[in-house]
Amino acid sequence: MTPIRYGMIGGGQGAFIGGVHRTAAAIAGQWQLVAGAFSSTPEKSRASGAEIGVPADRTYGSWAEMLEREKALPADQRIEVVAIVTPNHMHAPPAIAALEAGFDVIIDKPLADTLANAQSIADAAARSGRKIAVTHTYTGYPLVKQARAMIASGELGAVRRVMVKYTQDWLSRADDIAGNKQAEWRVDPARSGEAGAFGDIGTHAANLVEFITGERIAAICAELNMLPGRRIDDDGAALFRLSGGGKGTLTASQVCVGDANDLAISVYCADASLHWRQEEPNTLTVGRRDRPTELWNAGANRAYLPADLLAIQRTPGGHPEGYLEAFANIYAAFGRAIRGIASDSGEPGFATMDDAIAGMKFIRASLESSRQGAVWVDLSTIS
Amino acid sequence: MTPIRYGMIGGGQGAFIGGVHRTAAAIAGQWQLVAGAFSSTPEKSRASGAEIGVPADRTYGSWAEMLEREKALPADQRIEVVAIVTPNHMHAPPAIAALEAGFDVIIDKPLADTLANAQSIADAAARSGRKIAVTHTYTGYPLVKQARAMIASGELGAVRRVMVKYTQDWLSRADDIAGNKQAEWRVDPARSGEAGAFGDIGTHAANLVEFITGERIAAICAELNMLPGRRIDDDGAALFRLSGGGKGTLTASQVCVGDANDLAISVYCADASLHWRQEEPNTLTVGRRDRPTELWNAGANRAYLPADLLAIQRTPGGHPEGYLEAFANIYAAFGRAIRGIASDSGEPGFATMDDAIAGMKFIRASLESSRQGAVWVDLSTIS
Amino acid sequence: MTPIRYGMIGGGQGAFIGGVHRTAAAIAGQWQLVAGAFSSTPEKSRASGAEIGVPADRTYGSWAEMLEREKALPADQRIEVVAIVTPNHMHAPPAIAALEAGFDVIIDKPLADTLANAQSIADAAARSGRKIAVTHTYTGYPLVKQARAMIASGELGAVRRVMVKYTQDWLSRADDIAGNKQAEWRVDPARSGEAGAFGDIGTHAANLVEFITGERIAAICAELNMLPGRRIDDDGAALFRLSGGGKGTLTASQVCVGDANDLAISVYCADASLHWRQEEPNTLTVGRRDRPTELWNAGANRAYLPADLLAIQRTPGGHPEGYLEAFANIYAAFGRAIRGIASDSGEPGFATMDDAIAGMKFIRASLESSRQGAVWVDLSTIS
Amino acid sequence: MTPIRYGMIGGGQGAFIGGVHRTAAAIAGQWQLVAGAFSSTPEKSRASGAEIGVPADRTYGSWAEMLEREKALPADQRIEVVAIVTPNHMHAPPAIAALEAGFDVIIDKPLADTLANAQSIADAAARSGRKIAVTHTYTGYPLVKQARAMIASGELGAVRRVMVKYTQDWLSRADDIAGNKQAEWRVDPARSGEAGAFGDIGTHAANLVEFITGERIAAICAELNMLPGRRIDDDGAALFRLSGGGKGTLTASQVCVGDANDLAISVYCADASLHWRQEEPNTLTVGRRDRPTELWNAGANRAYLPADLLAIQRTPGGHPEGYLEAFANIYAAFGRAIRGIASDSGEPGFATMDDAIAGMKFIRASLESSRQGAVWVDLSTIS
């Protein structure tokens, strides 16, 4: 099999998520990084490219240059996919340009800084006919997919109640921002978009709810907060109603001391409950009434998991896969989609434009709700 | 030391919480059950008394009879305290009568079926000068007291965010009520009071929040639900605001399949977080930034706990105490109060009228919020 | 039901296990402490009795006096059972005397300081026809009984491998002994018997293995150690062979820093494994091949547990019972045996003379093995 | 930086560990697989090479051919390192030949099928002056390195007691071998070497003990077992003595139902204890006396970890790294060694010949001990 050639926009020195994308692609296999515009300044881009091992002649000074020059290369040499790992406000321009230039696109979440920009990307994708994937990392975990499959099968009954939280502590101190490259753009509305924690991690939590339940968040009542001196939410919580009638609570915060990356979800259905926590991702707890609680475990040889989940895992039970392998599963799934290989489960393996637009509406609705004093906002009214 | 003589109202055959009170008093030591009106029918009361081992001549056919006849006994024989463990609608009449008859009272939560009745009890207590304790079980756990003490000391900084849940599954099926004595009165508004799950267990969750943070819930936005065919909430969730400015989420449900008695709380302060779960009550997890997470453990010999907490425990670390010992701590503390022994920590060791009235207002506000579509209700407006 | 009247030998001020016995009996219900010889000096005995609430005229200056004077009381007033909670070297004389005086006996473990003395107690019990129970606390836990029942049923297949550990840290420092009443007698061979940690807690571990597997330890290869300056083992480990052919490892230590009372066991059978840990006693983990791991939970309403286990629990699932309730289960079972009520499961609910003698042989064999350089010793050669 | 070019021997279709090596090298970065002799038959080797993406002209029919032809290539094209992932009996011939041909070697554990062959490899490495690394995976985990560093610093005091277990269940049924490529060679003494479970996973456990404590296993008393019909041990346990005077127990079994890859270790030192479990590798539990237990967590931003451990991690706290990343750390460390970059901690980051020979002596001593009825064997007598 020939690897898929891709170029990266963003992800230069000092960035975090770009390196994650590159390692994920390496783990996925059959992906080859051959070009990049790694920074907003040409010098930094070249220094980054050299460090990463991308040839100098394909390390570009800007994303526009990369798209133009790659397009001009022979078909068997030029990149096929563009990976976009820039701050949120720099998602839409290169994504739309890449799609229009005929490249497939894989892009970090949230899809864009504003709903309007997100919609423009989705429109460009539809217009161009190119494939696009959004990397909602946590749906790449095998046991998250298993949770979704169990609910989709109907065997657990209707979803009644959801509790989801995503808490971190890296912004818990007033002075956490100065000098922290990851923090600076995230707390700047001009670069991050209008939401802070709710955009950065709240969307992950919302996406996880929608992925596992197979429903959408239909209405939300959210209260967002920020430490003194901040310009954007760093904390918040919400009540929500699912499209299928279930109810839930969601907390997203970057000021919760002691928590590193604590995304955890419980979904209570009529006949069983599911519990999963990202920091120990290889266990899915299944609660049942009048029966012992079950611990389902990940692993490429776990006979009780469906074949499509066994196929995406690399190691047998007890050899833990983690965050990078979950991310790799998204690259692998997008690779299969590009090659035209259908998903057995019908679940594409990456977030689609529909999913991503739903995430943008979640952000918008949360902000509106909070601004009005935490009142209910119906997501169907968001546009 | 002479034991405190007490009589019980309620708690006959088929009841649950009466037996818990009796065992708790036995573990506490220095309490002696000498009289009882265990049921609403004299025959059942006598049969229960015989089984429990209360002398026939002090097993009464009604609580009114008990109060009248005990009062007539010599001071060194008659009961000193009345324990009330009847369904909620039967709290106020015997409590008020007992207080007026000069007895101290220990009473199960919630204080009454309605806020008005609760207030009447509180008024009677104030008028009579008698002592009264409400048994909010979970504040009897040593590590819950430790959590309160740590926050009260100021060393953890201001409370920012609280997550509390109390979930059970014993009402998760539509047919769970018929024939279940515990369920029948709890889901009947005439006996339980206007709230179901929010009254039965939501109050425990709210009380735990207030006990640990040392603050009150100032405003709430709650949505309560019930399975088809029910007359009273069996599930719900809320956003709340604390009097000190912190924010929180609260879930209380009796339809969460797979959960037995899952009361769990996380309190995030500016400098540390505390996590406690009732089903494994002997560990208090303390999260800190840039330092390892700490597991504080219960035990009568844990040198890192304060002396007043060491004093109330019966076994050294690693010999788990549980629910009954937590309950016993409430009896022990009330016994000390009756004997005029001051609490070292200033915390009485049992819920006071103020605490219980706050709990009733929490119920009232939650119901009003939900009825209006889950809008914010300020608890100071509840009366 | 009339309570069983008992008298206690030992358990005065400063003792630990005596208080545990009294609280356990109170929780069990139907037991009444009416007499005691609480200390080796009459003054201390009386002071202790006053504190505990035993009438002065039945608080005796010595156990011999107690036995003589109680025997002289009318049958409906005198004690029926003697509880012996003295240091090990003071087990045999009062136990034998009590049995010969016609009292039933409940006695702390290990049965005696030496195998010969233990055998004398067993002989006296057989001769007298009186009932005798040894309080191996940990077999009182409901889920330990469930583990035994599951293996006894044959559904898990033959026992292959056992890992058991019992570790504490209260003797981990060289200076832990001076001034600690609990420590002083335990590390003095004249009072404790020839073994230290292996006698004090190793016997619990061995008893737990034998109780759960339904087999005996047939041979052992043990290496015992002690800190410099000690006269008796405070640490050790062993390989062992079970009577049914399975193999195991056992560690018992009182110098393992960070462990409080960490008794934990894993039993691997041909078709499933069982895992239980005393510090979180309300979960029994069942490992199966090619199926999710199961968490069995304690509780008086857990429909998947057998009726006899539901009957001995006091609280529904999620309301944790602990060490004192496990101990109470032993008193309750011995109470039933005294009243002639048969055990449904055939398991008496307390350790018998056979169990206790097996425990003494385990101690003896471990010591002999260790003295010879950790060679194999067949327990059938011990006498 | 130019990647290190390597060729692989073994690891063709149906193999497990070869794929792990390749993914680990990809995650490590700066490694490039450019050649291979993937199977013992040329056809299979080529089919495997095509699937993996190695050019056909560098996919060889035998390892001898690979070594000869690669050696003949220009220095800037030929492989620099040979990765050997064949069954144990096929380690020594290619390893010695590769070293003698001037290549560095990275080789799976155990080093060889017999101690003599292992010694021959070590001799060849010494003679040739080439670098060689053995992939004892589990020492690649950051928190295992942290455990080692904490003990090495002396802050925890002397090692007193170790408990280590490594249990799996994939051979728990008599019929587990037929048709399972992984099982067939492992249970065949001609290919696996004389030991089964003790060679396959017991060595990992022993290596982990020696790595963390910084000591060697000086003497061992082991009893090895096998299911009926097997030719090689599939289960066993041992007592051992460390060179520094501490004592331990070790269990290694592939017939422990319900366990996947359950490598777990506890090390008790004079002043603290350390606990680590491979299936949840991102937590190191530190037990202390009279202080709360600490949970140390992995992560590239955990300020309380030393700089060299932060440097080898790819993701911040709460984004779990797993087995493949631990393995990648070994490739990364060997890459640094090849490039002449010194290790900050002095710990090379991979198992050396000394470590591997110690592992072979552990196997030999365990077998001898068991054959003689589980007697003590001094490892210094093994040669």
Side-chain angles (χ1 to χ4, degrees):
Chain A
M1 223 168 13
T2 318
I4 295 171
R5 295 178 303 280
Y6 75 106
M8 179 168 278
I9 297 175
Q13 292 165 338
F16 163 59
I17 204 70
V20 167
H21 278 249
R22 291 190 295 268
T23 303
I27 296 174
Q30 315 298 350
W31 282 84
Q32 193 174 5
L33 178 66
V34 298
F38 298 104
S39 181
S40 49
T41 62
E43 299 69 32
K44 278 194 195 164
S45 180
R46 279 180 204 111
S48 297
E51 196 176 287
I52 293 162
V54 172
D57 62 344
R58 294 180 78 176
T59 303
Y60 303 100
S62 73
W63 59 261
E65 184 193 355
M66 179 174 92
L67 296 180
E68 187 186 331
R69 290 190 33 202
E70 287 289 323
K71 202 176 162 183
L73 291 177
D76 64 347
Q77 291 178 31
R78 70 168 169 249
I79 57 172
E80 300 161 80
V81 179
V82 173
I84 299 176
V85 296
T86 46
N88 303 345
H89 73 302
M90 283 305 295
H91 280 192
I96 295 168
L99 291 163
E100 292 179 343
F103 298 111
D104 294 330
V105 168
I106 185 163
I107 186 166
D108 213 77
K109 52 48 49 189
L111 181 51
D113 51 347
T114 65
L115 176 55
N117 283 337
Q119 194 60 60
S120 299
I121 297 174
D123 292 345
R127 231 171 25 237
S128 69
R130 302 312 311 171
K131 290 187 162 50
I132 182 164
V134 183
T135 55
H136 267 298
T137 325
Y138 303 108
T139 61
Y141 278 110
L143 291 179
V144 168
K145 295 179 188 291
Q146 174 64 7
R148 174 188 174 92
M150 289 171 84
I151 289 178
S153 77
E155 64 179 300
L156 309 189
V159 174
R160 280 185 183 170
R161 176 155 293 291
V162 176
M163 296 177 212
V164 67
K165 63 168 285 209
Y166 193 159
T167 46
Q168 305 177 325
D169 71 0
W170 65 302
L171 296 178
S172 66
R173 294 181 187 143
D175 61 1
D176 274 325
I177 290 159
N180 178 338
K181 180 169 174 176
Q182 297 307 319
E184 280 178 345
W185 75 256
R186 278 184 173 79
V187 302
D188 174 5
R191 286 178 281 174
S192 177
E194 55 191 349
F198 259 58
D200 192 25
I201 60 175
T203 42
H204 273 310
N207 177 258
L208 190 65
V209 170
E210 298 190 337
F211 181 83
I212 290 179
T213 63
E215 302 185 21
R216 293 284 180 212
I217 292 175
I220 195 159
C221 171
E223 186 167 47
L224 277 53
N225 313 290
M226 66 186 85
L227 290 190
R230 298 264 163 94
R231 291 180 292 160
I232 209 167
D233 61 286
D234 52 27
D235 170 273
L239 302 178
F240 64 84
R241 298 169 186 150
L242 286 170
S243 51
K247 307 293 172 67
T249 52
L250 179 153
T251 299
S253 178
Q254 294 172 320
V255 301
C256 277
V257 174
D259 288 4
N261 197 47
D262 198 3
L263 172 61
I265 189 166
S266 290
V267 181
Y268 295 90
C269 301
D271 296 314
S273 56
L274 301 176
H275 309 269
W276 181 82
R277 182 165 175 252
Q278 192 270 151
E279 296 197 11
E280 287 176 9
N282 294 305
T283 302
L284 176 68
T285 302
V286 182
R288 303 194 192 261
R289 179 133 168 218
D290 301 332
R291 282 168 52 187
T293 296
E294 297 158 14
L295 305 180
W296 293 55
N297 223 256
N301 63 344
R302 290 286 185 196
Y304 54 76
L305 296 177
D308 62 320
L309 292 189
L310 299 181
I312 64 171
Q313 298 182 73
R314 295 147 199 86
T315 51
H319 301 72
E321 298 194 3
Y323 176 85
L324 293 168
E325 285 76 26
F327 216 109
N329 290 339
I330 296 175
Y331 266 84
F334 194 45
R336 285 192 296 272
I338 289 170
R339 289 188 169 92
I341 302 167
S343 154
D344 282 352
S345 68
E347 186 265 303
F350 50 83
T352 64
M353 285 299 98
D354 274 0
D355 300 328
I357 295 293
M360 297 304 301
K361 290 187 176 176
F362 159 82
I363 295 173
R364 194 84 275 289
S366 298
L367 286 165
E368 283 198 16
S369 169
S370 187
R371 279 178 197 145
Q372 296 177 37
V375 300
W376 284 92
V377 172
D378 190 325
L379 269 75
S380 69
T381 67
I382 301 294
S383 63
Chain B
M1 221 166 15
T2 318
I4 296 171
R5 295 176 305 278
Y6 74 108
M8 180 169 278
I9 298 176
Q13 292 165 338
F16 163 60
I17 205 69
V20 167
H21 279 249
R22 291 189 296 267
T23 304
I27 296 174
Q30 316 295 351
W31 282 83
Q32 193 174 5
L33 178 65
V34 298
F38 298 105
S39 181
S40 50
T41 61
E43 297 71 32
K44 278 195 194 165
S45 181
R46 281 182 201 110
S48 297
E51 197 176 285
I52 293 162
V54 171
D57 63 345
R58 294 180 79 177
T59 302
Y60 302 100
S62 73
W63 58 260
E65 185 193 354
M66 180 173 92
L67 296 180
E68 188 186 329
R69 289 188 37 199
E70 287 288 326
K71 201 178 164 182
L73 291 176
D76 64 347
Q77 291 178 34
R78 70 168 169 249
I79 57 173
E80 301 161 80
V81 180
V82 173
I84 299 176
V85 295
T86 46
N88 303 345
H89 73 303
M90 283 304 296
H91 281 192
I96 294 168
L99 291 162
E100 292 180 342
F103 298 111
D104 295 329
V105 168
I106 184 163
I107 185 166
D108 213 78
K109 50 49 54 190
L111 181 52
D113 51 347
T114 66
L115 176 55
N117 282 337
Q119 194 58 59
S120 300
I121 297 174
D123 292 346
R127 232 173 22 240
S128 68
R130 303 312 312 172
K131 291 189 161 48
I132 181 165
V134 182
T135 55
H136 267 298
T137 325
Y138 304 108
T139 61
Y141 278 109
L143 292 178
V144 168
K145 295 179 188 291
Q146 173 63 8
R148 175 189 174 93
M150 290 171 84
I151 288 178
S153 76
E155 64 179 298
L156 310 190
V159 174
R160 281 184 182 170
R161 176 155 292 290
V162 176
M163 297 177 213
V164 68
K165 63 168 287 210
Y166 194 159
T167 46
Q168 304 178 326
D169 71 359
W170 65 303
L171 295 179
S172 66
R173 293 180 188 143
D175 61 0
D176 275 325
I177 291 159
N180 179 339
K181 180 170 174 176
Q182 297 306 318
E184 280 178 345
W185 75 258
R186 278 185 173 79
V187 302
D188 173 6
R191 286 179 280 174
S192 176
E194 55 192 350
F198 259 57
D200 192 26
I201 60 175
T203 41
H204 273 309
N207 177 259
L208 191 66
V209 169
E210 298 190 337
F211 181 83
I212 290 179
T213 63
E215 303 184 20
R216 292 284 181 212
I217 293 175
I220 195 159
C221 171
E223 186 168 46
L224 276 52
N225 313 290
M226 66 185 85
L227 291 190
R230 299 264 163 94
R231 289 181 292 161
I232 209 168
D233 61 287
D234 51 27
D235 170 273
L239 302 178
F240 64 83
R241 298 170 187 150
L242 286 169
S243 51
K247 307 294 171 68
T249 53
L250 178 152
T251 300
S253 179
Q254 293 172 321
V255 301
C256 278
V257 174
D259 287 5
N261 197 45
D262 198 4
L263 172 62
I265 188 166
S266 290
V267 181
Y268 295 90
C269 301
D271 296 313
S273 56
L274 302 175
H275 309 269
W276 181 82
R277 183 168 174 252
Q278 192 269 153
E279 296 197 11
E280 287 176 8
N282 294 304
T283 302
L284 176 69
T285 302
V286 183
R288 303 195 191 261
R289 178 132 170 219
D290 301 332
R291 282 168 53 187
T293 296
E294 297 158 14
L295 305 181
W296 293 55
N297 222 257
N301 62 345
R302 291 286 186 196
Y304 53 77
L305 296 178
D308 61 321
L309 293 189
L310 299 182
I312 63 171
Q313 300 181 73
R314 293 148 198 88
T315 52
H319 301 72
E321 298 194 3
Y323 176 87
L324 292 168
E325 285 76 26
F327 216 108
N329 289 339
I330 296 174
Y331 266 84
F334 193 46
R336 286 192 295 273
I338 289 170
R339 289 188 168 91
I341 303 166
S343 153
D344 281 352
S345 69
E347 186 264 303
F350 50 85
T352 64
M353 285 299 97
D354 274 359
D355 301 327
I357 295 293
M360 297 305 300
K361 290 187 177 177
F362 159 81
I363 295 173
R364 195 83 275 287
S366 298
L367 287 165
E368 283 198 15
S369 170
S370 188
R371 280 180 196 143
Q372 296 177 37
V375 301
W376 285 91
V377 172
D378 190 326
L379 268 75
S380 70
T381 67
I382 300 294
S383 63
Chain C
M1 224 168 14
T2 318
I4 295 171
R5 295 177 304 280
Y6 74 107
M8 180 169 278
I9 298 175
Q13 292 166 338
F16 163 59
I17 205 69
V20 168
H21 278 250
R22 292 190 295 267
T23 304
I27 296 174
Q30 315 298 349
W31 282 83
Q32 194 175 2
L33 178 66
V34 297
F38 297 105
S39 182
S40 48
T41 61
E43 299 69 32
K44 278 195 194 164
S45 180
R46 282 182 201 110
S48 298
E51 195 176 286
I52 293 162
V54 171
D57 62 344
R58 294 181 77 177
T59 302
Y60 303 100
S62 73
W63 58 261
E65 184 193 356
M66 179 174 91
L67 296 181
E68 187 186 331
R69 290 188 35 199
E70 286 290 325
K71 203 177 161 183
L73 291 177
D76 65 347
Q77 290 179 33
R78 71 169 168 248
I79 58 172
E80 301 161 79
V81 179
V82 173
I84 298 176
V85 296
T86 45
N88 302 345
H89 73 304
M90 283 303 297
H91 280 193
I96 294 168
L99 291 162
E100 291 180 343
F103 299 111
D104 294 330
V105 168
I106 185 164
I107 186 165
D108 213 77
K109 53 46 52 188
L111 181 52
D113 50 347
T114 65
L115 176 55
N117 283 337
Q119 194 60 58
S120 300
I121 297 174
D123 292 346
R127 231 172 23 239
S128 68
R130 302 313 311 171
K131 290 189 161 47
I132 181 163
V134 183
T135 55
H136 267 298
T137 326
Y138 303 107
T139 60
Y141 278 109
L143 291 178
V144 167
K145 295 178 188 292
Q146 173 63 8
R148 174 190 174 92
M150 290 171 83
I151 288 178
S153 77
E155 64 178 300
L156 310 190
V159 174
R160 281 184 182 170
R161 175 155 292 292
V162 176
M163 296 178 213
V164 67
K165 64 168 286 210
Y166 193 159
T167 47
Q168 305 177 325
D169 72 358
W170 66 303
L171 295 179
S172 65
R173 293 181 188 144
D175 61 0
D176 274 325
I177 290 159
N180 178 339
K181 179 170 173 174
Q182 296 307 317
E184 281 178 345
W185 73 258
R186 279 185 173 79
V187 303
D188 173 6
R191 286 178 282 174
S192 177
E194 55 190 350
F198 259 58
D200 192 25
I201 60 175
T203 41
H204 273 310
N207 177 258
L208 191 66
V209 169
E210 296 190 339
F211 181 83
I212 290 180
T213 63
E215 303 184 20
R216 293 284 180 211
I217 293 175
I220 195 159
C221 170
E223 185 167 48
L224 276 53
N225 313 289
M226 65 185 85
L227 290 189
R230 298 265 164 93
R231 289 180 293 160
I232 209 168
D233 61 288
D234 51 27
D235 170 274
L239 303 178
F240 64 83
R241 298 170 187 150
L242 286 169
S243 52
K247 308 292 171 70
T249 53
L250 179 153
T251 300
S253 178
Q254 293 172 320
V255 301
C256 277
V257 174
D259 287 5
N261 197 47
D262 199 2
L263 172 61
I265 188 166
S266 290
V267 181
Y268 295 90
C269 302
D271 296 314
S273 56
L274 302 176
H275 309 269
W276 181 82
R277 182 165 174 253
Q278 192 270 151
E279 296 197 11
E280 288 176 7
N282 294 304
T283 301
L284 175 69
T285 302
V286 182
R288 303 194 192 261
R289 178 131 170 220
D290 301 332
R291 283 169 51 188
T293 296
E294 297 159 15
L295 305 180
W296 293 56
N297 223 258
N301 62 345
R302 292 286 185 196
Y304 53 77
L305 296 177
D308 61 322
L309 293 189
L310 299 181
I312 63 171
Q313 298 182 73
R314 293 147 199 87
T315 53
H319 301 72
E321 298 193 3
Y323 175 86
L324 292 168
E325 285 77 24
F327 216 108
N329 289 339
I330 296 174
Y331 267 83
F334 193 46
R336 285 192 296 273
I338 289 170
R339 288 188 169 90
I341 302 167
S343 154
D344 281 353
S345 68
E347 187 263 302
F350 50 84
T352 63
M353 285 299 97
D354 274 359
D355 300 328
I357 295 293
M360 297 305 300
K361 290 187 178 177
F362 159 82
I363 295 174
R364 194 84 275 289
S366 298
L367 287 165
E368 283 199 14
S369 169
S370 188
R371 280 179 196 144
Q372 296 176 36
V375 300
W376 285 92
V377 172
D378 190 327
L379 268 76
S380 70
T381 67
I382 302 293
S383 62
Chain D
M1 224 169 8
T2 318
I4 295 171
R5 294 177 305 278
Y6 75 107
M8 180 168 279
I9 297 176
Q13 293 165 338
F16 163 60
I17 205 68
V20 167
H21 277 250
R22 291 190 296 268
T23 304
I27 295 174
Q30 315 298 350
W31 282 83
Q32 193 174 3
L33 178 65
V34 298
F38 298 104
S39 182
S40 49
T41 62
E43 298 69 32
K44 278 194 194 165
S45 180
R46 279 179 204 112
S48 297
E51 197 177 285
I52 293 161
V54 171
D57 63 344
R58 294 181 78 178
T59 302
Y60 302 100
S62 73
W63 58 262
E65 184 193 355
M66 179 174 93
L67 296 180
E68 187 186 331
R69 291 193 30 203
E70 286 289 325
K71 200 177 165 183
L73 291 177
D76 64 347
Q77 290 177 34
R78 70 168 168 248
I79 58 173
E80 300 161 79
V81 179
V82 173
I84 298 176
V85 296
T86 45
N88 302 346
H89 73 303
M90 283 303 297
H91 280 193
I96 295 168
L99 291 162
E100 291 180 342
F103 298 111
D104 294 329
V105 168
I106 185 164
I107 185 166
D108 214 77
K109 52 50 50 191
L111 181 52
D113 51 347
T114 65
L115 176 55
N117 282 337
Q119 195 58 60
S120 299
I121 297 174
D123 292 346
R127 233 175 18 242
S128 68
R130 304 311 313 172
K131 290 189 162 47
I132 180 163
V134 183
T135 54
H136 267 298
T137 325
Y138 304 107
T139 61
Y141 279 108
L143 292 179
V144 168
K145 295 179 189 291
Q146 174 64 8
R148 174 188 174 93
M150 290 171 84
I151 288 178
S153 77
E155 64 178 300
L156 309 190
V159 174
R160 281 184 182 170
R161 176 155 293 290
V162 176
M163 296 177 213
V164 67
K165 62 168 288 208
Y166 194 159
T167 46
Q168 305 177 325
D169 72 358
W170 65 303
L171 295 179
S172 65
R173 292 180 188 144
D175 62 359
D176 274 325
I177 290 160
N180 179 338
K181 179 169 174 176
Q182 298 306 319
E184 280 179 345
W185 74 258
R186 278 185 173 79
V187 301
D188 174 5
R191 287 178 281 174
S192 177
E194 55 191 349
F198 259 58
D200 192 26
I201 60 175
T203 41
H204 273 309
N207 177 258
L208 191 66
V209 169
E210 297 190 338
F211 181 83
I212 290 179
T213 62
E215 303 185 19
R216 293 283 180 211
I217 293 176
I220 195 159
C221 170
E223 185 168 49
L224 276 52
N225 313 290
M226 66 185 86
L227 291 190
R230 299 265 163 93
R231 289 181 293 162
I232 208 167
D233 61 287
D234 51 27
D235 171 273
L239 302 178
F240 63 83
R241 297 170 186 151
L242 285 170
S243 51
K247 307 293 172 69
T249 52
L250 179 153
T251 301
S253 178
Q254 293 171 321
V255 301
C256 277
V257 174
D259 287 5
N261 197 46
D262 198 3
L263 172 62
I265 188 166
S266 290
V267 181
Y268 295 90
C269 302
D271 295 314
S273 56
L274 302 176
H275 309 269
W276 182 82
R277 181 166 175 253
Q278 192 269 152
E279 296 197 10
E280 288 176 8
N282 294 304
T283 302
L284 174 70
T285 302
V286 182
R288 303 195 191 259
R289 178 130 172 221
D290 300 333
R291 283 169 52 188
T293 296
E294 298 159 15
L295 305 180
W296 293 55
N297 223 257
N301 63 345
R302 291 286 186 197
Y304 53 76
L305 296 178
D308 62 321
L309 293 189
L310 299 180
I312 63 171
Q313 299 181 74
R314 294 148 199 87
T315 53
H319 301 71
E321 297 194 4
Y323 176 87
L324 292 168
E325 286 76 26
F327 216 108
N329 290 339
I330 295 174
Y331 266 84
F334 193 47
R336 286 192 296 273
I338 288 170
R339 288 187 170 91
I341 303 166
S343 154
D344 281 352
S345 68
E347 186 265 303
F350 51 85
T352 63
M353 285 300 98
D354 274 359
D355 300 328
I357 295 292
M360 297 305 300
K361 289 187 178 177
F362 159 81
I363 294 174
R364 194 84 275 291
S366 298
L367 287 165
E368 282 199 15
S369 170
S370 188
R371 280 180 196 143
Q372 295 176 37
V375 301
W376 284 92
V377 172
D378 190 326
L379 269 76
S380 69
T381 67
I382 301 293
S383 63

